[in-house]
Amino acid sequence: MTLFYFVRHGETDFNANDNAYCGRSDVSLNDLGIKQSRAMAAQLEDIRFDHVYVSPLERAVQTASFVSDDFEVDERLLEIDFGNWEGLNKQQISKKYSENWNDWQTTTTGDVAAGETGETMIETFERINDLIKALNNQHPDGKILVVAHNTIIRLLFTGLIQGRWSSYRSFKCGNTSISVLKYTKDDFEFITLNDNHHLKGVL
């Protein structure tokens, strides 16, 4: 049995107030994101992690550094490639790429490319699921911290339960939220989802 602690990075100016789709844009935490990350690290300070794996994007690396300076970067933890949606907010996307946006919102097959040229939900799920399965085999009975991004975490959880792809947003994943997954060779169990109690009092 391996325990995975999934943490979404702290806030950036891109995602403040549900603003713009950040995707592969390599942006840094804003001031609130730094405060959130400190609070998250305090929440986890009593847990001894055997390994820490982090997306190569700066916002994830910064977030992880508040927990440990000993971590491994893995490309499979990159946020989804949003294609032409990159840097746009929902209103802009729905207006400029209305057909692609509608297909993304309603897909049952998960094979719609985000932003016309980006990744599909299935492609995104498969790369992070491959990583989690590999880590489970490499670190049996370990406690693993994974610092990554909103969409890939939610797509991982959706794929694991074989849920409707277009309903991936049913899994909430706030900035520096903590979700814990118990993983065995043949099964998994959600222990905690979107825990953000550590943010109480963080402005």
Side-chain angles (χ1 to χ4, degrees):
M1 178 198 75
T2 305
L3 282 177
F4 288 95
Y5 289 72
F6 292 91
V7 170
R8 181 188 177 190
H9 63 79
E11 185 182 277
T12 71
D13 287 342
F14 261 63
N15 65 33
N17 300 316
D18 199 25
N19 188 15
Y21 275 47
C22 196
R24 300 291 174 86
S25 296
D26 203 3
V27 300
S28 300
L29 300 179
N30 60 21
D31 289 344
L32 178 56
I34 290 171
K35 292 178 182 177
Q36 292 170 336
S37 298
R38 287 191 178 121
M40 175 274 299
Q43 177 77 6
L44 297 177
E45 65 182 354
D46 293 331
I47 300 175
R48 183 183 179 278
F49 291 108
D50 298 288
H51 298 275
V52 180
Y53 293 88
V54 182
S55 160
L57 296 176
E58 178 66 17
R59 57 194 185 271
V61 171
Q62 283 182 284
T63 301
S65 68
F66 286 94
V67 180
S68 174
D69 57 5
D70 182 16
F71 54 79
E72 183 174 336
V73 169
D74 197 295
E75 296 281 334
R76 287 169 289 184
L77 292 173
L78 279 166
E79 178 61 298
I80 186 173
D81 181 351
F82 281 121
N84 294 324
W85 297 348
E86 190 76 15
L88 304 179
N89 61 34
K90 291 179 182 178
Q91 291 73 27
Q92 292 168 324
I93 293 169
S94 62
K95 183 177 180 179
K96 190 172 182 179
Y97 300 100
S98 57
E99 183 175 350
N100 180 231
W101 179 249
N102 182 67
D103 290 345
W104 176 268
Q105 298 291 326
T106 59
T107 181
T108 58
T109 54
D111 59 356
V112 176
E116 299 179 337
T117 61
E119 286 182 291
T120 68
M121 296 178 183
I122 288 178
E123 288 170 340
T124 306
F125 165 73
E126 287 179 345
R127 66 174 163 85
I128 187 172
N129 191 47
D130 285 348
L131 172 62
I132 297 308
K133 289 192 293 185
L135 295 180
N136 185 55
N137 291 330
Q138 292 172 26
H139 310 299
D141 301 317
K143 290 182 180 178
I144 310 298
L145 176 63
V146 177
V147 182
H149 305 274
N150 185 25
T151 306
I152 65 165
I153 293 173
R154 294 194 292 182
L155 287 174
L156 172 66
F157 294 170
T158 301
L160 287 175
I161 66 169
Q162 299 180 31
R164 181 184 175 95
W165 288 111
S166 58
S167 298
Y168 73 95
R169 290 189 181 88
S170 297
F171 285 103
K172 304 304 179 185
C173 190
N175 290 118
T176 70
S177 65
I178 302 165
S179 298
V180 183
L181 180 68
K182 181 169 71 174
Y183 208 106
T184 65
K185 183 177 181 180
D186 302 312
D187 203 2
F188 66 90
E189 178 183 352
F190 293 113
I191 305 299
T192 303
L193 288 172
N194 193 41
D195 180 6
N196 61 2
H197 291 102
H198 53 279
L199 296 182
K200 185 178 181 180
V202 176
L203 300 178

